[in-house]
Amino acid sequence: SIFASLIVIIILSFITQIIVNDQKNSKNVLLNKIPSHDKEKIFGVKIRQENKKGEKFLIIAETLVESNSEDKKIFLENSLTTIEQNGIFTNISAGYAIISNDYDKFDFSDKVKITKKIKKFVLKTDSLSGAFQKGYYYTDDDVDIVSRNIRIKGKGLNVKKNGEYIKIKGKAKLNMNFIE
């Protein structure tokens, strides 16, 4: 029985090690996509951009690496993106970000947070991907959404048309606080 319990302990330690390594590797997935042959890192970055619709973008990041490939991907570290659409400001912060397709497509990871103060909306998750112009984004990670007096915690998220359609993919927990 001692031999059997030692085998069980060894197997459990291997399983635990695999799980811990997977979690560490998943947080650095975006960093591994940075091509080593591209331009050097730029520190203390501020990018101002305006699209055809008049929506303004301000991206602030600790570091930036720009890809020399066709898609002109931009790799950001510790970024804060502010978007102004019709007087409504949206702030997006993330530990790592990849922006491509002329500032339309994005992949955020490592403590992603979206805030719309005027709508009292906050979304927190580990990763988020999508397209700015279509207002479409998704994740398979845990999400924590606060919108006015409603709080939703769930697994996975699908958003279309900048929030007109929101779907939690897995189980979700909804809390509502009624104000008297």
Side-chain angles (χ1 to χ4, degrees), residues 45-58:
V45 178
K46 269 190 181 179
I47 301 170
R48 295 182 191 275
Q49 194 78 359
E50 187 170 341
N51 66 15
K52 295 173 187 172
K53 294 180 183 178
E55 300 168 336
K56 298 176 185 175
F57 294 82
L58 171 63

Side-chain angles (χ1 to χ4, degrees), residues 17-79:
Q17 187 66 30
I18 290 169
I19 292 170
V20 169
N21 284 341
D22 283 347
Q23 289 175 349
K24 285 181 183 177
N25 291 338
S26 67
K27 288 190 178 183
N28 293 322
V29 167
L30 291 182
L31 280 184
N32 292 336
K33 291 182 181 179
I34 298 175
S36 60
H37 62 276
D38 285 333
K39 296 180 182 178
E40 294 180 20
K41 269 189 182 180
I42 300 170
F43 294 91
V45 178
K46 269 190 181 179
I47 301 170
R48 295 182 191 275
Q49 194 78 359
E50 187 170 341
N51 66 15
K52 295 173 187 172
K53 294 180 183 178
E55 300 168 336
K56 298 176 185 175
F57 294 82
L58 171 63
I59 301 171
I60 301 170
E62 281 183 20
T63 64
L64 175 141
V65 175
E66 189 172 0
S67 170
N68 288 330
S69 62
E70 280 184 32
D71 54 8
K72 299 286 185 191
K73 288 184 179 178
I74 297 173
F75 300 86
L76 303 166
E77 197 171 1
N78 295 323
S79 66

Side-chain angles (χ1 to χ4, degrees), residues 11 69 76 104 107 120 136-137 142 155 157:
I11 291 172
S69 62
L76 303 166
D104 183 37
D107 287 304
K120 297 180 182 176
Y136 171 75
Y137 45 96
D142 291 339
K155 178 83 174 159
L157 174 74

Side-chain angles (χ1 to χ4, degrees), residues 141-160:
D141 295 324
D142 291 339
V143 292
D144 185 2
I145 302 170
V146 176
S147 181
R148 300 194 189 275
N149 65 332
I150 298 171
R151 181 177 202 139
I152 303 170
K153 287 187 175 189
K155 178 83 174 159
L157 174 74
N158 225 349
V159 175
K160 294 182 181 175

